[in-house]
Amino acid sequence: MLILALAIAQPVAAQSFKPDWDAGHAAFKQKDYATALRHWRPLAKQGDADAQLWLGSMYEYGWGVTKDLKEAVRWYRKAAEQGHSYAQSSVDGLEKQLRAEGNRPPRSRQASKPPAPSASKQQKELERLRREIARLKKEKQAKPKKVAKKPKPSPKTGNAGSGFFISKAGHVITNQHVVSKCKRVTVGDNARKQVTADILETDRSNDLALLKISSTKMASAETKSLMQKLGIKIVPLASKGLMRFEDVELGEDLLVAGYPYGEIFSSTIKVTKGIVSAVRGLGDDSSQFQMDAAVQPGSSGGPIYDGNGNIVGVVIAQLNKLKFAKMTGSMPENVNFGIKASTVRQFLKTSGLPTKWSRRSKPMTSKELAKIAKSQTVMVMCHR
């Protein structure tokens, strides 16, 4: 009877396992590569671009598997085909390496000729084009109506948040949720002065993203001028480091910078002051801390400074007051969260952009801190 019970229990236990990206990432950070593979491999096969990217990196560097550059290219390409820019750059680099070593990289599935559309699909497309041509002709023939001039609308966007420069080369830190599912990302002084930025790396578990201002090769003269301003003049002290080595301490003063609510109130940067309310975040998360400095939608990704001008964190979230009030019957006030600088620095190191620690110890006034924040902080816009 005991043998029968064990035989029945085993398949039930096997069925209870569910692959989870975050669980795989947590295991990877602990160097438990076998568990990371167990979570990521099935997700990669199901089409998860992040899992495909990380599975490719494991094959590229031999983490938990036999190093296999061709297999790495195969998984990188799958992620790249879904629009993952970092995976595409990894594919290009590895393919060059394979060719240099005399190996032939695996062929892309997309290289094969796509099947010709069926006759019914062609007919539907022709009909759609006829309707569109007829509509345009009708609009052209219609007498234009005189209407009052309206202000030029802002570009169509999804999320809008904040970020800050982390290098003189134009690298910007923001939150992952700010740039999630964006067709295009731009950064700038305000919604009217924006330049395109590429998403180099994201970390969903810590809600961080690394951006970089795009090349000026094909940019207009106006864009080049703005990029020169953002990329060179606005990034002070980068060579000496920006983020503080020590984690925040309970009760210390903070200044938060960003673009809350975009341009609803004004197009300028906003700053608020507060203190560290707790050295851990929501759910006792040790990678975050709690503060009472006011933040709003649009503040996400902005820098948090200590009294000496060192960056000690990145704004991540404002507590949902209405949801919390429904749960507890009490409306919370001034409960906001930041990602610790040590977590941000580890993300940069993993992304291939190590940065020095900042050790400024001279106290600054609020006006001096705001001046530094103004020169480093940018508005980040997600275009969908």
Side-chain angles (χ1 to χ4, degrees):
M1 292 299 290
L2 178 60
I3 294 173
L4 178 60
L6 288 173
I8 294 172
Q10 287 176 353
V12 173
Q15 291 174 3
S16 64
F17 174 76
K18 291 183 179 179
D20 180 85
W21 194 94
D22 291 327
H25 189 260
F28 182 85
K29 289 199 291 187
Q30 298 296 323
K31 296 185 178 181
D32 183 0
Y33 301 131
T35 301
L37 279 168
R38 189 181 180 207
H39 284 279
W40 285 344
R41 194 184 296 279
L43 290 174
K45 290 180 179 179
Q46 293 168 16
D48 187 298
D50 287 327
Q52 291 167 348
L53 172 71
W54 281 87
L55 189 57
S57 68
M58 296 183 82
Y59 276 106
E60 180 180 359
Y61 298 105
W63 291 326
V65 294
T66 302
K67 186 175 180 178
D68 187 335
L69 297 186
K70 289 186 177 181
E71 188 68 8
V73 168
R74 188 170 78 87
W75 287 111
Y76 280 148
R77 183 175 286 127
K78 287 179 180 291
E81 287 171 356
Q82 299 189 62
H84 206 301
S85 59
Y86 184 82
Q88 184 59 61
S89 63
S90 299
V91 168
D92 296 340
L94 281 185
E95 286 187 343
K96 289 179 182 178
Q97 183 178 341
L98 286 169
R99 291 190 185 96
E101 295 173 356
N103 296 315
R104 188 174 181 179
R107 296 179 63 187
S108 169
R109 293 183 182 179
Q110 289 191 341
S112 59
K113 187 176 181 181
S118 64
S120 61
K121 287 184 178 179
Q122 289 178 340
Q123 189 174 358
K124 288 180 180 178
E125 181 62 16
L126 286 172
E127 184 60 32
R128 186 190 69 79
L129 289 174
R130 288 193 192 99
R131 290 197 301 267
E132 183 65 14
I133 292 169
R135 183 185 67 80
L136 291 173
K137 285 182 177 179
K138 188 175 180 181
E139 285 184 358
K140 189 175 181 180
Q141 293 170 357
K143 187 177 180 180
K145 296 179 180 179
K146 292 183 178 181
V147 295
K149 289 185 178 180
K150 295 182 179 180
K152 186 178 178 181
S154 298
K156 185 178 179 181
T157 60
N159 294 337
S162 306
F164 60 94
F165 283 98
I166 201 70
S167 81
K168 288 186 176 181
H171 292 90
V172 174
I173 283 286
T174 187
N175 287 148
Q176 185 271 339
H177 75 260
V178 171
V179 298
S180 176
K181 300 179 181 179
C182 305
K183 290 183 178 179
R184 189 167 64 94
V185 174
T186 60
V187 303
D189 286 341
N190 52 56
R192 305 291 178 192
K193 294 183 179 180
Q194 292 274 309
V195 295
T196 302
D198 297 320
I199 303 174
L200 300 185
E201 188 66 88
T202 58
D203 182 347
R204 286 195 300 185
S205 61
N206 289 311
D207 200 3
L208 289 169
L210 177 64
L211 315 179
K212 187 177 186 298
I213 291 178
S214 302
S215 170
T216 61
K217 189 174 181 180
M218 301 299 292
S220 65
E222 182 180 359
T223 299
K224 286 181 180 179
S225 176
L226 177 60
M227 290 175 73
Q228 184 179 22
K229 176 188 174 186
L230 294 176
I232 298 176
K233 295 181 180 179
I234 277 198
V235 192
L237 309 172
S239 61
K240 297 180 181 179
L242 295 173
M243 293 179 292
R244 192 178 80 183
F245 174 78
E246 301 86 3
D247 281 338
V248 292
E249 296 181 4
L250 188 67
E252 77 169 295
D253 291 332
L254 302 171
L255 182 136
V256 176
Y259 290 84
Y261 292 117
E263 294 192 308
I264 292 178
F265 299 113
S266 71
S267 62
T268 61
I269 187 176
K270 287 87 176 172
V271 297
T272 56
K273 292 194 69 176
I275 64 169
V276 177
S277 305
V279 294
R280 294 201 175 195
L282 192 65
D284 216 31
D285 190 339
S286 61
S287 68
Q288 301 177 14
F289 60 93
Q290 182 182 327
M291 60 185 176
D292 68 353
V295 301
Q296 314 295 344
S299 299
S300 296
I304 305 170
Y305 295 90
D306 67 7
N308 301 326
N310 303 298
I311 293 177
V312 292
V314 178
V315 177
I316 183 173
Q318 174 195 37
L319 188 66
N320 189 320
K321 295 181 180 179
L322 296 178
K323 187 175 181 180
F324 191 87
K326 288 180 180 179
M327 292 171 57
T328 64
S330 173
M331 182 70 77
E333 295 293 340
N334 302 327
V335 180
N336 304 303
F337 300 97
I339 306 167
K340 291 180 180 178
S342 56
T343 304
V344 180
R345 189 171 186 264
Q346 182 59 41
F347 167 65
L348 290 172
K349 184 178 179 182
T350 304
S351 303
L353 190 69
T355 181
K356 295 180 181 178
W357 290 116
S358 172
R359 300 182 184 277
R360 297 183 201 92
S361 56
K362 182 180 177 181
M364 296 185 180
T365 65
S366 296
K367 290 174 64 176
E368 290 172 327
L369 291 173
K371 187 176 181 180
I372 290 178
K374 185 179 180 181
S375 67
Q376 291 175 339
T377 311
V378 290
M379 178 185 286
V380 180
M381 301 187 73
C382 170
H383 303 260
R384 291 178 174 168

